[in-house]
Amino acid sequence: MLTESFIASVLIPEKAGSNVTSKDASIYLHEYQPQSALRSSFKKSSTPTNCLLISDSHIFAAQADKAVVHVYNRERGNQEAIIPFSEKICSLALSGDRNGAGTLLLGTEGGRLILWEFCTGRQILTPQFHLQPATCLAVDPTSNFLLSGSSDSNVHVWSIPTLLSFSTSSANDPNQPSPYSPMRTLSNHRAAITTINIGQSSSSVNIAVSGAQDNTCIVWNYRSGNLLHTFLLPSSPLCLALDPAERAVYAGYKDGSIQLIDFFKHSQHTNPLHDPTLHSTPTQPSPSDRWLLAPEVSSAILCLDISYDGTHVVSGHQNGKVYTWNVAKGTYKQLADFAFPVTNLHMLPPTGFPNTPKVSLRIHNVVKPRYESSLYGSNIRSIGDVVPDNYTFTAQFTSTLSLPEYSSTGTSDALMSEFEAALAHPSFGLSLLEEGIAELANLSSTRTTILSTSSLDSNAEGEDSELAKLHLEIHNLRAEANHARAMQTSSQDKVLELEDVLSRKRVEETVKKMAKKRRRLRRMKADEIKRKIFMGEEVGSGDEGMNEEDDEGEGLSSSSDELMQSD
């Protein structure tokens, strides 16, 4: 019989601190179907939104009031470790196979990312690329891309292999882009990012959906950075859940309602997300696709997830209630009541499938993180970046590895890939040896052919060497002559231009001097007339004529162009 369950966590309010003891459960494993019932719980945790992460072996819960992450062992059912960090953690994500080893990705209050390989203890801290806290993280199915959303309204796209690379040469080269910086930034939102979801496809057209407090929900092609569509919502989405088949996305609102955003609502034959004519046209979901709670039980939805078959949506609410919604009918029913705000809810993969392969790797205990100082310049390996000597992977194989018998000439009927066969072989397999010998032989024959060809052509080249030298010399001289002519023409044009500028400046200076002299003579003549009048002397007509000529002479100061033409 198939069994489907979910894990939920709650946030203990500060006001309730005196009424809540450390024995009270705060993380719950609840069976969803066939029978709805609480199966187990974990204590000593108060987890904000986007701060709970589930793997097959452990549960990671970042705390609301401290810069620590609580690690719980699912197999033993207890708290395994408390991991401190330099900054308060605001979001979590997992990169790698959830059934085995992986890397825990943490978004900090300072806008940085922390990468913790919990099977090796390696820890990497990126520089601050978000101006405000990194509130949500999402990893694509290939574990190659990480999307980080922040209160600064930006979504950064990161390359996880680049962040985890041991190579530090480009990180310390100022001429190369830093490997610890995002690949691109998606910046079409205008308010804080609240949630990010990524599709299940491993193709190059996989989508990501982000919600923000600007009442928008945007669908992206995060690999290319293209905006595919914008949906205008009636309220800010607090959380999103993407349909397993990527037919729609569900948004949870503060009033406790759920908005169905159907990607194929107006197009039944083609995917409208990949229609370039619709990318720049925002749409608004239909009010009829909004599912409402009864007014007496309405409470903000803090988290959403979808059942394995995509027929039901499970929501966690501010009042501690958990509801399941029928996608086809839009109706709901209560599953559980955890008394405190349900901040995180994760549906687990169903169990009970026949012929399920056994997990080959088991992680009993996490390795506490060690800061990798090579990121910031100390102990840098500039030549031959290698894995450090203290890099140790800690895990247990659950069964004996079935390695086939190999010899230098023998083969195996086991269905193994070429890489697996080479890895399992005690020495070098026959195919690798043959390939290496063929490459060496090809290299040797190619070199011999080049040498023989050069020796055969040496005589012919000797006869024509003098002619070739002459042709080359003529070609170089012509090129130099063309370059000299071009430089001469350019220089002449420059000289003419400078001479024209100089001439204009000289004329302007001459006009200014003439105008200044005219004004001075005019003032002197005016003073002389005033003196004669005061002394009772007769003012001659020549003096008056002189004044008129001075008045007319003032017009010469504005005719610099005429002076230049006369010159």
Side-chain angles (χ1 to χ4, degrees):
M1 178 184 295
L2 295 180
T3 302
E4 190 172 7
S5 304
F6 66 86
I7 292 180
S9 67
V10 299
L11 175 66
I12 309 298
E14 295 181 2
K15 296 181 180 179
S18 59
N19 301 324
V20 179
T21 65
S22 61
K23 296 182 180 180
D24 293 330
S26 51
I27 299 177
Y28 306 90
L29 172 61
H30 198 282
E31 183 177 322
Y32 176 65
Q33 60 179 357
Q35 181 180 359
S36 177
L38 181 65
R39 296 306 180 192
S40 63
S41 61
F42 300 89
K43 303 177 176 62
K44 301 180 181 179
S45 179
S46 178
T47 312
T49 305
N50 299 328
C51 288
L52 184 73
L53 186 67
I54 314 297
S55 71
D56 278 3
S57 59
H58 289 83
I59 297 175
F60 303 88
Q63 300 304 295
D65 53 349
K66 326 175 173 178
V68 298
V69 172
H70 289 185
V71 182
Y72 300 89
N73 192 300
R74 294 182 62 185
E75 183 180 4
R76 295 194 294 265
N78 62 355
Q79 187 181 73
E80 179 180 310
I82 298 177
I83 309 298
F85 290 94
S86 58
E87 299 181 48
K88 183 180 175 182
I89 306 302
C90 299
S91 52
L92 296 177
L94 179 66
S95 170
D97 186 4
R98 61 172 292 155
N99 298 324
T103 301
L104 186 66
L105 309 171
L106 307 95
T108 71
E109 189 175 31
R112 296 178 175 85
L113 295 182
I114 299 175
L115 293 85
W116 170 31
E117 296 179 355
F118 51 82
C119 286
T120 66
R122 183 185 179 211
Q123 175 184 322
I124 300 172
L125 177 65
T126 69
Q128 181 182 8
F129 281 95
H130 282 297
L131 302 179
Q132 296 184 33
T135 54
C136 48
L137 301 176
V139 177
D140 81 325
T142 65
S143 291
N144 288 326
F145 298 95
L146 165 68
L147 273 66
S148 62
S150 170
S151 300
D152 62 7
S153 77
N154 289 328
V155 177
H156 291 327
V157 182
W158 308 76
S159 169
I160 297 178
T162 302
L163 293 174
L164 294 176
S165 174
F166 284 99
S167 175
T168 59
S169 55
S170 59
N172 300 284
D173 186 356
N175 298 322
Q176 297 292 331
S178 172
Y180 309 108
S181 60
M183 300 171 56
R184 61 182 57 90
T185 299
L186 313 177
S187 56
N188 287 70
H189 285 293
R190 294 295 177 264
I193 308 298
T194 56
T195 178
I196 299 176
N197 268 227
I198 292 184
Q200 301 300 318
S201 173
S202 299
S203 67
S204 59
V205 293
N206 192 24
I207 64 172
V209 186
S210 59
Q213 293 180 3
D214 58 0
N215 295 4
T216 61
C217 175
I218 298 180
V219 185
W220 313 85
N221 181 336
Y222 59 88
R223 295 198 180 191
S224 63
N226 295 331
L227 185 150
L228 301 181
H229 203 77
T230 301
F231 294 94
L232 306 178
L233 306 181
S235 180
S236 298
L238 302 182
C239 49
L240 295 174
L242 188 61
D243 178 75
E246 300 177 9
R247 301 166 299 181
V249 65
Y250 304 89
Y253 294 145
K254 191 174 182 179
D255 62 355
S257 62
I258 292 180
Q259 179 73 63
L260 166 62
I261 304 173
D262 191 348
F263 296 155
F264 294 86
K265 182 76 172 179
H266 304 290
S267 178
Q268 300 179 356
H269 303 288
T270 59
N271 190 337
L273 297 180
H274 300 286
D275 186 352
T277 60
L278 302 177
H279 289 176
S280 59
T281 306
T283 57
Q284 188 170 3
S286 172
S288 61
D289 291 335
R290 188 172 181 178
W291 309 332
L292 303 175
L293 280 173
E296 61 272 12
V297 297
S298 63
S299 178
I301 298 179
L302 303 181
C303 50
L304 284 176
D305 209 345
I306 301 181
S307 62
Y308 180 77
D309 57 7
T311 59
H312 289 79
V313 177
V314 184
S315 59
H317 294 255
Q318 181 76 32
N319 59 4
K321 302 287 196 305
V322 176
Y323 295 97
T324 177
W325 302 74
N326 188 303
V327 172
K329 300 178 181 179
T331 57
Y332 67 91
K333 68 176 181 178
Q334 182 176 325
L335 287 178
D337 186 356
F338 297 133
F340 296 107
V342 182
T343 52
N344 298 274
L345 189 149
H346 296 279
M347 299 296 297
L348 301 179
T351 59
F353 284 109
N355 303 323
T356 303
K358 295 182 179 180
V359 178
S360 59
L361 195 67
R362 180 173 297 171
I363 303 170
H364 292 287
N365 296 285
V366 299
V367 180
K368 293 187 177 181
R370 300 186 302 272
Y371 177 68
E372 184 169 293
S373 59
S374 62
L375 270 180
Y376 294 104
S378 60
N379 202 14
I380 293 175
R381 302 176 295 274
S382 59
I383 300 178
D385 299 313
V386 295
V387 179
D389 297 336
N390 61 348
Y391 187 76
T392 305
F393 182 85
T394 305
Q396 178 193 5
F397 291 107
T398 57
S399 61
T400 303
L401 296 179
S402 57
L403 302 179
E405 294 293 334
Y406 273 99
S407 66
S408 60
T409 59
T411 58
S412 173
D413 295 330
L415 297 177
M416 301 179 68
S417 65
E418 184 178 355
F419 173 77
E420 292 173 337
L423 183 64
H425 203 284
S427 58
F428 293 98
L430 182 60
S431 60
L432 284 179
L433 291 174
E434 291 178 347
E435 183 178 355
I437 293 172
E439 289 181 357
L440 290 174
N442 185 33
L443 179 62
S444 177
S445 62
T446 303
R447 184 175 180 182
T448 303
T449 302
I450 293 173
L451 291 175
S452 60
T453 303
S454 62
S455 62
L456 289 174
D457 294 340
S458 60
N459 295 331
E461 291 178 355
E463 295 175 357
D464 298 335
S465 59
E466 293 298 330
L467 184 60
K469 288 180 180 179
L470 290 175
H471 281 295
L472 180 60
E473 187 175 357
I474 292 172
H475 180 271
N476 294 335
L477 290 174
R478 286 178 177 174
E480 291 178 1
N482 292 334
H483 179 70
R485 280 194 293 270
M487 292 295 294
Q488 183 181 7
T489 303
S490 176
S491 300
Q492 290 176 351
D493 294 340
K494 189 67 175 178
V495 168
L496 292 175
E497 181 181 356
L498 293 175
E499 288 179 349
D500 182 65
V501 173
L502 181 60
S503 177
R504 283 182 174 274
K505 288 186 176 181
R506 287 176 177 174
V507 170
E508 290 177 357
E509 290 294 330
T510 302
V511 170
K512 289 181 181 178
K513 290 179 180 180
M514 293 174 61
K516 186 176 180 180
K517 184 177 180 181
R518 291 281 185 178
R519 287 193 296 271
R520 185 168 61 253
L521 291 174
R522 185 177 179 180
R523 285 195 300 269
M524 292 174 61
K525 183 60 63 176
D527 293 340
E528 180 65 18
I529 293 173
K530 290 179 181 179
R531 187 189 64 79
K532 288 182 178 183
I533 294 174
F534 180 76
M535 296 298 295
E537 297 179 1
E538 183 179 358
V539 178
S541 59
D543 295 334
E544 294 177 356
M546 185 65 182
N547 290 334
E548 292 176 359
E549 292 176 0
D550 290 339
D551 291 337
E552 294 175 357
E554 288 292 322
L556 295 174
S557 62
S558 61
S559 60
S560 60
D561 291 337
E562 295 179 0
L563 287 176
M564 288 182 62
Q565 292 176 2
S566 63
D567 291 344

